[in-house]
Amino acid sequence: MISGGSTDGDSTRARKARGRRVCLEVDGRRQNEPIISFGPEDLRGVSLPHNDALVIQARVANYDVLRVFVDNESSVNVIFKEALVQMDLHEYPLESVETALFGFAGHAVYPEGEITLPLTLGSGNLRKTVMTVFTVVDAPSSYNIILGRPAMNEMRAVASIYHQKTKFPIRGQVGEVKGDQPSSRKCYGETVRVDQKRVRREDEGKKVAQEVREIEEKEVNFVAEDEQEVVEVEPGKSIRVVRDLEDSTRELMGISPKVAEHQLNIIPGSRPVKQKKRHFGPEKDKIIE
């Protein structure tokens, strides 16, 4: 479940104001909408039994987008940066977002911004399009888009994970989008592999941090300057060593390039890569400092 973002306002004050306003709003225009229900006929083509997430195909900004995860628990609609790049929309100006998102790997993620795009569900005469606000996230994901509560409410859509289907009202009728179970299972497998790699990296990081702490806790012996002498390694280069250093150790100054040599394997004339500043969350930023 993803929480946060600017769905209910980009500050605590804005969210409280919206909460008071929503309590007073009454919309009677939708009283004649058709009843949405699910029955045995909706299970045709569904592989049972299953525990698959609801992953569908949607049309966004005139692009047919696969791997769209329907998540009723998320407070925002998310479109991942890589999907925008594939759609050639990554250079469009984004609205700024100050509120972080929570739920990605258990820590805060700061969005790149927000973008409003037309979202279309359904097919044929039962197609419905609404302008949808997507929060842009630059993070690895098996999905291209996550449809959260805002999009589902705007569509007046109802999702049934068991029936692998999303239904919505359209001109007095009911439109629908079927889930893609093979895609759902593939996304789940990829997500598990990514999480396993992340856990391994975190464990390795903890191990390195522990080793550093152990080294720092060890007693360090400093050699006084009068107990040192300057030894010339090569013309113009010298180092300080302990005066009573053994002769066998003194002879090991430096390593011949015939033994080992370090090179950077780069393409001549290539330009350096410059990335945007990335936020890691307050706790990690403190550690980095």
Side-chain angles (χ1 to χ4, degrees), residues 202-214:
E202 290 178 353
D203 290 342
E204 291 172 358
K206 291 178 182 178
K207 183 178 179 181
V208 171
Q210 179 62 29
E211 292 175 352
V212 171
R213 283 194 296 269
E214 291 176 355

Side-chain angles (χ1 to χ4, degrees), residues 235-246:
K237 292 184 179 181
S238 60
I239 61 172
R240 288 180 174 272
V241 299
V242 181
R243 288 185 183 278
D244 57 357
L245 194 66
E246 296 180 0

Side-chain angles (χ1 to χ4, degrees), residues 15-237:
R15 285 189 285 272
K16 289 182 178 179
R18 184 183 184 280
R20 291 191 295 268
R21 185 174 66 254
V22 168
C23 293
L24 301 176
E25 292 180 354
V26 177
D27 190 350
R29 294 174 297 173
R30 298 187 173 95
Q31 292 180 355
N32 296 324
E33 286 185 349
I35 295 175
I36 294 178
S37 62
F38 296 87
E41 66 279 3
D42 293 304
L43 289 173
R44 292 174 185 166
V46 177
S47 177
L48 294 174
H50 76 84
N51 287 311
D52 301 323
L54 182 53
V55 177
I56 64 173
Q57 177 178 335
R59 191 163 181 81
V60 180
N62 295 323
Y63 288 89
D64 291 325
V65 182
L66 303 175
R67 295 191 173 196
V68 177
F69 174 37
V70 178
D71 184 11
N72 289 333
E73 299 296 327
S74 294
S75 63
V76 292
N77 310 307
V78 173
I79 186 167
F80 290 93
K81 183 71 173 292
E82 182 60 28
L84 280 183
V85 172
Q86 296 293 327
M87 298 163 67
D88 200 25
L89 298 174
H90 58 289
E91 295 184 354
Y92 273 57
L94 304 178
E95 296 291 332
S96 62
V97 178
E98 296 182 2
T99 307
L101 299 179
F102 299 89
F104 291 88
H107 56 78
V109 171
Y110 290 89
E112 299 279 305
E114 289 181 340
I115 186 171
T116 302
L117 300 170
L119 167 68
T120 302
L121 296 182
S123 60
N125 295 327
L126 298 179
R127 293 163 62 96
K128 187 173 185 178
T129 301
V130 296
M131 296 304 295
T132 305
V133 177
F134 291 96
T135 301
V136 181
V137 174
D138 188 5
S141 175
S142 300
Y143 305 106
N144 292 313
I145 288 176
I146 297 177
L147 291 186
R149 295 193 302 268
M152 297 298 287
N153 288 337
E154 186 66 27
M155 279 279 183
R156 316 298 290 180
V158 180
S160 173
I161 299 175
Y162 176 68
H163 294 90
Q164 283 289 295
K165 191 173 288 186
T166 297
K167 295 186 178 183
F168 51 89
I170 173 69
R171 294 188 294 275
Q173 301 182 67
V174 177
E176 64 180 33
V177 181
K178 295 182 179 180
D180 183 350
Q181 285 182 282
S183 179
S184 175
R185 292 170 184 176
K186 187 175 181 179
C187 288
Y188 178 76
E190 291 177 0
T191 300
V192 171
R193 286 194 293 272
V194 170
D195 287 342
Q196 288 175 339
K197 290 180 180 179
R198 175 181 57 81
V199 171
R200 284 197 294 268
R201 286 197 300 268
E202 290 178 353
D203 290 342
E204 291 172 358
K206 291 178 182 178
K207 183 178 179 181
V208 171
Q210 179 62 29
E211 292 175 352
V212 171
R213 283 194 296 269
E214 291 176 355
I215 292 173
E216 291 176 344
E217 290 172 357
K218 290 181 179 179
E219 183 179 358
V220 179
N221 296 320
F222 294 95
V223 179
E225 188 172 350
D226 58 358
E227 298 178 6
Q228 303 174 16
E229 65 174 298
V230 178
V231 177
E232 188 176 48
V233 181
E234 58 183 76
K237 292 184 179 181

